[in-house]
Amino acid sequence: MKKSLANLINNIQYNHMASLLILTISMVIPFYSRQLLTGLPILYVWALLSISYDVVLGLGGIPSFGHATPFGLGAFTVAILISNGIPLTPALIIGGIIGSISYVSMGLPAYRVKGIYYAILTLAIAEVILALINNISRTEVAITVGIVPELLDINILWIYVVFTGFLTILSLYVILIDLKTTKIHRILYIKIILYLIILIIVLYGFYYLLSSIYNFILKLSLGSIQYTDFIRFISPINRYFITLVTLMISFMLIYLIYGSPVGSILRGVRENPLRAEVIGYDIFRYQLLAFSVSGFFAGVSGGLYLLCVPTATLEVLSVDKTFIALLGTVIGGAGTIIGPLYGGVIVGFLRDYLRRIIPIFSLYLPLSPQQLQILPSFILGFIYIIIVLTVPYGIMGSWYYKAIDLRRRIKLYIYGRG
Amino acid sequence: MFELGVLVSALIDGLSYAMMIFLISIGLIIIFGLMDVFNLAHGAFFGFGAYLFIQFFLTTGDYILSLLIASVAGAVFGYIVERLLIRPLYGKPMLQLLMTMGLMILLFTLFQVVWPAGLYFPEVNNRILSGVYSILGVNIRIYKFVIIIGGVITFIILDIIFVRTRFGAMLRAGTENRELAYAFGINIDKLFSIAFILGSFLAFFGGAFVAPITHATLEVPTTFTLLAFVVPVIGGMKSYRGGFYASLIIGIIDRLVAYYFTWLSFAIDLLIMIIVLIIRPEGLFGGAE
């Protein structure tokens, strides 16, 4: 018993622990305010879109500006499937496969077309698809999904509660073990303060979660609840859960690819294609693999987008979506996978936040609502350009590659000299 | 269906369209040829020229003056962009791509914020600007002929500059072999600035010049951005003359398709480009010069 515990402790890595704690916090955080509950899912969609883009841009090193295509086609596929009564999970997977196929076929010209030419080509293909659909249909293309049945499934609510409870207990356990094994006093104090903050957030959030669900069940069992209230309570929670869990699973899968031999080979191809080819790797096949993975998760994120915005219009295929993915990846740091995750959330937050504070500006600027709606994208464009100029490696990239000195100094401070 | 009048109209339309495409893509070719910077925002520059031109025309009512102001604004804008955004990223092609992509999005959103409904060139009491000419029962805007002539003149002037002047020789030398040109005492940094300014100037001038026909809506920069990419790819990335021929091909094919197979219009250009990219990535007219 003693030995296996020691084994377990030795095997805990801090980044795994941090992921666990962040996940637990994000499971309970929506119960602090309703705004978070309704606003966060779309941020997770952008995060998923960004990490899927990172597979091509960051890991594969291929400048593709057609990322809106797998996203949009995935969204349309899922919309059609769901409105024909197919459950969400298979619909998402089929949407992902369609996204994957479309992105692989966009990637096929990469066999001959490289670099700048490829960037132009993808931008052009994305626009051609949009123009063709526009030309042929002649009317506004829109598929309304309505309320997805899974959002009203009470079983998902139970799974949410049980899963959150499990995560909370697990976090407590991990924190206790970590504190128990920490011997250096200076680190211990820092950790105690840090964990205390986290614990307060998690436990209070869990308490809020339990109390709100308890009230809900009480009303439900008394039969005094209106159907609209039922929808209003359960659908945001389920939407939050589904988007978060999908993001988590996708992240883990992509993370596995990053760490696998395939990931290393792709990195090698990115750094020096000629060398990789001479060593004997079939570059093209690996790049197509990157496209298929990236397209799959872009398609899935397109499907998730439909949970947040229940009507699929041609807007999902516009270059704006590519720009969101690009911005998220560049802010977070291309090629770092964890960076684009944060980057996507940051971009979504900025878009959302700017859209919310823009009406304040409208008092001072003579702008119409239509102009105000596009203003956040304009400001984001500025932010993007400044980031490309000043921190081209993004947040996590700079932390990994540039802040070596800073990290060493922090380590020195924490562990003391020697 | 294949009436002669319609065919003539389509051909003249195609020629004027070809000149529009040439005006936008020549700047792209100059910039890419010399600096290896593929300016994805070049179509947005073109659109910017159109917007500025009509804005000035609406306030001043003077055609020549507005054209001049818009073109000079283009040169200034090009200088600023080159100094602030492109220069820090020389030698980093990936970041340059990301940068010009961002610039493109930024300008597109700028147009939507400043001119949400777009700007329309008014009907004026001038036969050249707004009049029509009747051939075989089909009315054709006279300004289209102006565009054709203007495009050809621009091509001839540029050709003379590139072939006969010292500046043109420097530009060609820099395009051919940058290091060698530098070793022979050409100030490459300055040349880069001038080339970028020239490219930006041409884009703004082109946008302003064609604005009486295209007007200035968001469709202009989005359409012409992609058309501008098509031309260098087909004509060879670094060939000025190839760009002219490619513009002619694309312009005429595009208009003929738009007249007879409407649903395929616009897509056809990009399909041609995709096919050329896959079959002959160096372009149809590239290499020889």
Side-chain angles (χ1 to χ4, degrees):
Chain A
M1 179 66 206
K2 198 96 181 164
K3 192 159 189 198
S4 71
L5 193 67
N7 252 340
L8 185 70
I9 293 159
N10 283 337
N11 287 333
I12 290 178
Q13 287 180 4
Y14 279 106
N15 49 357
H16 293 169
M17 208 176 132
S19 328
L20 177 68
L21 293 182
I22 288 172
L23 185 64
T24 316
I25 290 175
S26 47
M27 288 299 274
V28 298
I29 203 88
F31 291 92
Y32 277 94
S33 89
R34 204 176 161 77
Q35 261 184 0
L36 287 173
L37 184 61
T38 53
L40 280 176
I42 191 82
L43 307 196
Y44 297 153
V45 174
W46 301 141
L48 183 53
L49 185 64
S50 299
I51 57 175
S52 74
Y53 190 52
D54 191 49
V55 176
V56 163
L57 184 82
L59 188 63
I62 309 161
S64 159
F65 292 143
H67 205 68
T69 302
F71 178 82
L73 291 183
F76 270 115
T77 312
V78 172
I80 292 167
L81 291 178
I82 286 180
S83 52
N84 283 326
I86 290 171
L88 186 64
T89 321
L92 278 182
I93 291 173
I94 295 172
I97 290 170
I98 293 288
S100 181
I101 291 170
S102 67
Y103 218 23
V104 167
S105 41
M106 271 174 93
L108 283 176
Y111 185 59
R112 291 208 59 174
V113 186
K114 304 242 179 327
I116 291 164
Y117 297 85
Y118 189 71
I120 303 165
L121 188 72
T122 46
L123 196 59
I125 293 176
E127 289 296 316
V128 164
I129 291 169
L130 192 57
L132 271 181
I133 295 177
N134 238 338
N135 283 353
I136 293 170
S137 66
R138 283 159 199 280
T139 50
E140 194 69 25
V141 181
I143 302 170
T144 305
V145 178
I147 288 184
V148 183
E150 274 75 6
L151 292 185
L152 302 179
D153 193 348
I154 203 156
N155 289 327
I156 293 179
L157 192 68
W158 300 141
I159 297 173
Y160 190 147
V161 176
V162 172
F163 190 55
T164 315
F166 170 71
L167 280 180
T168 313
I169 293 166
L170 195 64
S171 313
L172 278 176
Y173 182 64
V174 168
I175 285 176
L176 281 180
I177 287 182
D178 189 48
L179 285 180
K180 212 171 152 189
T181 54
T182 306
K183 295 285 185 276
I184 305 165
H185 282 285
R186 198 184 247 168
I187 308 174
L188 194 63
Y189 299 142
I190 297 173
K191 274 185 178 169
I192 286 175
I193 295 168
L194 200 68
Y195 288 151
L196 217 56
I197 297 169
I198 292 173
L199 272 184
I200 289 170
I201 294 174
V202 168
L203 291 179
Y204 256 106
F206 195 56
Y207 167 71
Y208 286 141
L209 182 153
L210 286 181
S211 65
S212 69
I213 286 178
Y214 178 72
N215 281 338
F216 174 70
I217 294 163
L218 214 59
K219 272 193 211 161
L220 200 66
S221 58
L222 289 175
S224 69
I225 193 166
Q226 298 278 321
Y227 186 61
T228 49
D229 285 339
F230 176 74
I231 291 177
R232 203 175 295 158
F233 180 80
I234 200 167
S235 71
I237 296 179
N238 279 356
R239 178 184 303 131
Y240 186 89
F241 184 60
I242 291 171
T243 45
L244 182 61
V245 165
T246 315
L247 174 65
M248 186 185 79
I249 294 171
S250 312
F251 179 78
M252 273 160 35
L253 290 175
I254 296 179
Y255 190 80
L256 284 180
I257 292 172
Y258 271 58
S260 70
V262 173
S264 313
I265 294 167
L266 272 171
R267 226 165 280 139
V269 172
R270 176 190 70 196
E271 292 304 328
N272 195 339
L274 190 66
R275 181 150 193 271
E277 195 158 21
V278 170
I279 290 174
Y281 291 116
D282 187 350
I283 306 183
F284 183 55
R285 195 185 292 168
Y286 284 100
Q287 286 182 338
L288 280 192
L289 189 73
F291 275 114
S292 67
V293 171
S294 175
F296 182 82
F297 290 107
V300 170
S301 70
L304 286 185
Y305 179 72
L306 280 181
L307 294 181
C308 310
V309 180
T311 309
T313 59
L314 277 184
E315 199 243 345
V316 293
L317 282 165
S318 69
V319 72
D320 181 50
K321 297 290 169 289
T322 304
F323 186 59
I324 292 176
L326 185 62
L327 190 55
T329 307
V330 168
I331 285 184
T336 57
I337 189 175
I338 190 89
L341 182 76
Y342 297 145
V345 170
I346 292 170
V347 172
F349 173 75
L350 281 176
R351 274 171 77 92
D352 225 36
Y353 182 69
L354 287 172
R355 203 156 276 168
R356 207 163 289 158
I357 62 159
I358 283 298
I360 301 167
F361 288 119
S362 68
L363 297 175
Y364 304 104
L365 298 170
L367 295 176
S368 69
Q370 198 192 347
Q371 288 165 304
L372 289 174
Q373 204 175 8
I374 205 78
L375 202 56
S377 303
F378 179 64
I379 298 169
L380 279 180
F382 254 113
I383 294 172
Y384 170 83
I385 283 180
I386 290 166
I387 283 176
V388 171
L389 274 182
T390 53
V391 266
Y393 294 99
I395 299 169
M396 292 316 280
S398 304
W399 176 249
Y400 286 145
Y401 310 130
K402 295 277 162 182
I404 295 167
D405 200 42
L406 181 71
R407 268 187 299 160
R408 208 192 58 222
R409 224 175 281 169
I410 291 173
K411 234 176 212 168
L412 208 65
Y413 173 76
I414 290 176
Y415 289 104
R417 306 214 174 259
Chain B
M1 188 176 164
F2 287 92
E3 279 177 51
L4 194 59
V6 177
L7 192 64
V8 169
S9 159
L11 281 177
I12 289 174
D13 228 12
L15 277 176
S16 66
Y17 210 62
M19 291 310 138
M20 294 181 194
I21 301 170
F22 168 69
L23 282 173
I24 175 172
S25 56
I26 184 69
L28 198 64
I29 294 171
I30 293 173
I31 294 173
F32 183 76
L34 185 68
M35 300 155 60
D36 283 333
V37 175
F38 196 85
N39 186 8
L40 290 172
H42 211 73
F45 285 17
F46 186 81
F48 209 173
Y51 276 108
L52 280 182
F53 169 74
I54 297 187
Q55 186 69 60
F56 284 124
F57 189 80
L58 289 176
T59 45
T60 61
D62 189 337
Y63 172 77
I64 302 283
L65 183 70
S66 313
L67 197 60
L68 213 66
I69 294 177
S71 311
V72 172
V76 174
F77 186 73
Y79 178 74
I80 294 170
V81 166
E82 202 269 343
R83 265 297 142 93
L84 290 183
L85 305 183
I86 310 291
R87 177 147 298 194
L89 302 178
Y90 279 134
K92 298 171 189 161
M94 188 72 159
L95 284 179
Q96 280 169 349
L97 262 186
L98 296 180
M99 169 59 77
T100 52
M101 175 79 182
L103 189 61
M104 179 181 109
I105 302 277
L106 184 72
L107 287 176
F108 280 6
T109 48
L110 176 77
F111 302 151
Q112 289 174 64
V113 169
V114 181
W115 298 285
L119 288 174
Y120 291 89
F121 193 77
E123 289 279 327
V124 288
N125 201 5
N126 183 327
R127 195 161 151 70
I128 293 179
L129 284 181
S130 296
V132 292
Y133 182 73
S134 190
I135 301 178
L136 298 168
V138 181
N139 284 337
I140 297 171
R141 282 279 296 271
I142 293 177
Y143 197 75
K144 279 181 183 159
F145 295 103
V146 178
I147 288 179
I148 296 173
I149 295 165
V152 173
I153 291 175
T154 313
F155 173 61
I156 292 170
I157 293 175
L158 284 176
D159 204 48
I160 290 171
I161 290 177
F162 291 143
V163 178
R164 306 270 159 164
T165 64
R166 192 175 156 69
F167 169 70
M170 276 156 64
L171 212 59
R172 275 184 296 141
T175 306
E176 201 77 30
N177 191 333
R178 204 181 308 156
E179 283 80 20
L180 204 59
Y182 184 66
F184 275 89
I186 293 173
N187 187 347
I188 286 287
D189 275 356
K190 207 169 153 192
L191 198 62
F192 279 8
S193 287
I194 294 171
F196 201 89
I197 290 169
L198 180 65
S200 170
F201 168 83
L202 283 169
F204 272 68
F205 167 75
F209 187 54
V210 306
I213 284 196
T214 58
H215 305 291
T217 56
L218 195 63
E219 230 166 83
V220 175
T222 45
T223 314
F224 281 94
T225 294
L226 293 167
L227 288 176
F229 299 161
V230 173
V231 168
V233 169
I234 292 178
M237 273 296 199
K238 304 195 167 184
S239 157
Y240 313 115
R241 285 181 188 168
F244 186 73
Y245 305 139
S247 312
L248 279 179
I249 293 173
I250 285 297
I252 290 171
I253 290 180
D254 181 276
R255 284 299 95 182
L256 285 178
V257 167
Y259 268 67
Y260 295 111
F261 311 95
T262 317
W263 62 275
L264 199 63
S265 71
F266 190 57
I268 186 75
D269 316 313
L270 302 165
L271 288 178
I272 294 174
M273 172 178 111
I274 292 164
I275 292 167
V276 170
L277 265 182
I278 294 168
I279 297 171
R280 236 181 106 92
E282 68 273 19
L284 295 180
F285 306 99
E289 265 184 89

